[in-house]
Amino acid sequence: MKPPTEYTMPSRLAEVYKAHPAYLHHNHLDFESLREVPESHAWPPLDDYPSRDSYGAESVPVIDLADPNSVKLVGYACKTWGVFQVTNHSISMRLLDNIESEGQRLFSLPRQQKLKAARLPDGISGYGVARISSFFPKLMWSEGFTIVGSPAEHARQLWPQDFSSFCDAMEEYEKEMKQFAGRLLWLILSSLGINKEDIKWAGPTGDFGDAGAVLQLNSYPACPEPNRAMGLAAHTDSTLLTVLYQNSTSGLQVLRDGVEWVTVTPIKGALVINVGDLLHILSNGRYPSILHRAVVNATHHRLSIAYLYGPPMNVQISPLSKLVDPSHPPLYRPVTWSEYLDAKAQHFNKALSSVRLCTPLNGFVDMNNNNSVKVG
Ligand SMILES: C=C1C[C@]23C[C@H]1CC[C@H]2[C@@]12CCC[C@@](C)(C(=O)O1)[C@H]2[C@@H]3C(=O)O
Ligand SMILES: O=C(O)CCC(=O)C(=O)O
Ligand SMILES: [Fe+2]
């Protein structure tokens, strides 16, 4: 008799959805030609919590990375906001302009052309609707293009003649982001009192050389009835951290203290950093991941580019032992990135609680383990 084949977790990002194919009907709409939001894309009112623009003392922190106090500022922002913007980050304006215009060029292609690079149901990369769409009865007012490593295979389907300028820009950005995200992760970890000896998987030089990453381009066309549409539904990122570049059209909102949506106002040349679920686990809940969404705009097209940064595929992430003691028991069981993506594919916003070990007697409560965001 043949022994049952044992299921092993994928060791490559490209394979994480083999066990969970999602048959998403890729958006057949030509957003630009519509005068109103069709039923397929009409969401119930987005007023589950009040929305406000970010201003004054109660706005999303903006941190100058050249500030000698940056470790403290970053730690405070992670603890109390879960999101912040950074300036003086060393990514050149030329590169940011370049990926923005290459992203723009991609989404401006005719729909039929873009569908040639459609993401496969069991794949991770390519063109299509957000993976989390499968959890909602309505479609979102957005399109995405996901890149893991080289985008060449899909870019060739989009531009058979000339795909190199797109690939060059994306690959250069991935390379710069990998360095930058590693540096940022050290800044965050040192704010927790964690150093190189505590993180074996940072590698011999501590540069997180084996870290994994996904580049996600998001396009949100202008929408005739923005209050009836959803750009990207509320979620937390299944990452350690995410670095987001947004064009000058606002739309990103974060759920502040579980009570109000605060807009992350675009600042030219700044990058938005948000805490993901794996950093939440690693920090044993000290730096909670942040629930966020993207709303759409009546007149302006919006583009965002997310660098989703995670640990090496074979590494189990669990609460750091320095952050665990009798009064702070470990709150989560060890998980690899692919196990966590698998949990997200099954449980969506309950993924974090699905890997939770115990409910603390007092202290931390997951702010984002509810599905209370109304979707009709
Ligand atoms: C490595 C990741 C992280 C993923 C899944 C997989 C590839 C694509 C990422 C996103 C990008 C868009 C929002 C999100 C919520 C989605 O639908 O796809 C993200 C998701 C997550 O952060 O969970
Ligand atoms: O477009 C945005 O501002 C948000 C994008 C996002 O949350 C994501 O790609 O995970
Ligand atoms: Fe996100």
Side-chain angles (χ1 to χ4, degrees):
M1 225 170 47
K2 254 185 22 188
T5 37
E6 226 173 272
Y7 178 70
T8 51
M9 272 293 160
S11 57
R12 281 162 24 96
L13 270 170
E15 269 131 42
V16 292
Y17 294 124
K18 287 258 185 287
H20 289 288
Y23 298 91
L24 301 162
H25 45 118
H26 283 299
N27 237 324
H28 50 277
L29 284 187
D30 234 330
F31 290 111
E32 273 75 18
S33 63
L34 298 171
R35 295 282 166 84
E36 58 177 43
V37 172
E39 270 316 303
S40 56
H41 289 67
W43 287 55
L46 313 184
D47 57 359
D48 50 354
Y49 302 103
S51 287
R52 69 164 171 89
D53 287 334
S54 193
Y55 51 81
E58 257 310 289
S59 66
V60 174
V62 180
I63 301 174
D64 176 351
L65 290 181
D67 188 321
N69 240 337
S70 59
V71 173
K72 268 210 171 124
L73 295 169
V74 161
Y76 182 76
C78 287
K79 193 168 138 185
T80 60
W81 278 89
V83 63
F84 53 98
Q85 305 207 54
V86 293
T87 57
N88 265 315
H89 45 60
S90 79
I91 310 294
S92 71
M93 205 57 229
R94 172 201 59 85
L95 183 52
L96 295 175
D97 284 342
N98 198 212
I99 52 154
E100 183 179 330
S101 68
E102 289 294 336
Q104 195 64 54
R105 194 159 74 90
L106 187 161
F107 292 113
S108 311
L109 288 170
R111 176 156 298 272
Q112 285 314 313
Q113 191 64 16
K114 290 184 277 195
L115 285 171
K116 291 183 181 162
R119 194 185 304 127
L120 297 173
D122 65 351
I124 192 167
S125 54
Y127 171 76
V129 301
R131 168 98 205 166
I132 55 169
S133 296
S134 57
F135 292 97
F136 299 93
K138 299 291 184 167
L139 288 164
M140 299 178 203
W141 199 266
S142 59
E143 339 166 37
F145 186 81
T146 314
I147 300 171
V148 178
S150 167
E153 197 186 315
H154 284 120
R156 202 173 281 133
Q157 293 159 332
L158 297 172
W159 299 283
Q161 316 303 331
D162 158 39
F163 53 90
S164 64
S165 69
F166 180 83
C167 293
D168 291 351
M170 297 303 147
E171 284 171 22
E172 182 184 357
Y173 192 66
E174 288 179 305
K175 204 166 137 219
E176 294 265 316
M177 274 291 132
K178 182 171 186 163
Q179 270 204 356
F180 175 64
R183 187 181 137 212
L184 205 60
L185 184 55
W186 275 128
L187 212 58
I188 295 174
L189 291 171
S190 44
S191 74
L192 287 164
I194 303 301
N195 50 45
K196 301 225 161 125
E197 292 83 76
D198 304 315
I199 313 269
K200 298 280 170 294
W201 48 271
T205 60
D207 69 349
F208 297 108
D210 298 327
V214 173
L215 192 59
Q216 169 79 18
L217 317 189
N218 299 302
S219 165
Y220 307 92
C223 176
E225 300 172 287
N227 295 328
R228 299 183 65 217
M230 176 64 90
L232 187 59
H235 65 279
T236 57
D237 291 348
S238 316
T239 58
L240 286 165
L241 56 87
T242 302
V243 181
L244 186 97
Y245 171 76
Q246 52 176 343
N247 75 354
S248 55
T249 305
S250 66
L252 175 63
Q253 297 186 320
V254 298
L255 188 62
R256 173 69 169 150
D257 289 336
V259 297
E260 58 177 355
W261 290 109
V262 176
T263 299
V264 184
T265 311
I267 299 175
K268 187 155 172 59
L271 294 168
V272 181
I273 315 298
N274 69 260
V275 174
D277 296 338
L278 296 180
L279 183 56
H280 182 127
I281 296 173
L282 194 67
S283 68
N284 205 23
R286 279 173 178 72
Y287 291 171
S289 55
I290 176 81
L291 197 65
H292 56 283
R293 69 178 187 183
V295 296
V296 291
N297 189 284
T299 47
H300 288 80
H301 176 261
R302 176 163 187 270
L303 184 82
S304 75
I305 299 169
Y307 183 77
L308 301 136
Y309 186 65
M313 293 308 284
N314 57 349
V315 168
Q316 293 206 312
I317 296 299
S318 55
L320 289 162
S321 52
K322 265 194 182 166
L323 305 178
V324 169
D325 60 46
S327 52
H328 299 95
L331 298 181
Y332 301 93
R333 68 169 175 83
V335 277
T336 62
W337 198 8
S338 54
E339 277 174 320
Y340 194 76
L341 289 170
D342 196 84
K344 190 75 139 214
Q346 291 184 55
H347 310 296
F348 183 43
N349 278 351
K350 292 196 168 74
L352 197 51
S353 17
S354 80
V355 300
R356 188 156 181 141
L357 284 173
C358 53
T359 309
L361 298 173
N362 49 24
F364 307 120
V365 179
D366 289 349
M367 280 247 309
N368 50 22
N369 69 353
N370 61 61
N371 251 334
S372 69
V373 176
K374 292 186 219 99
V375 292

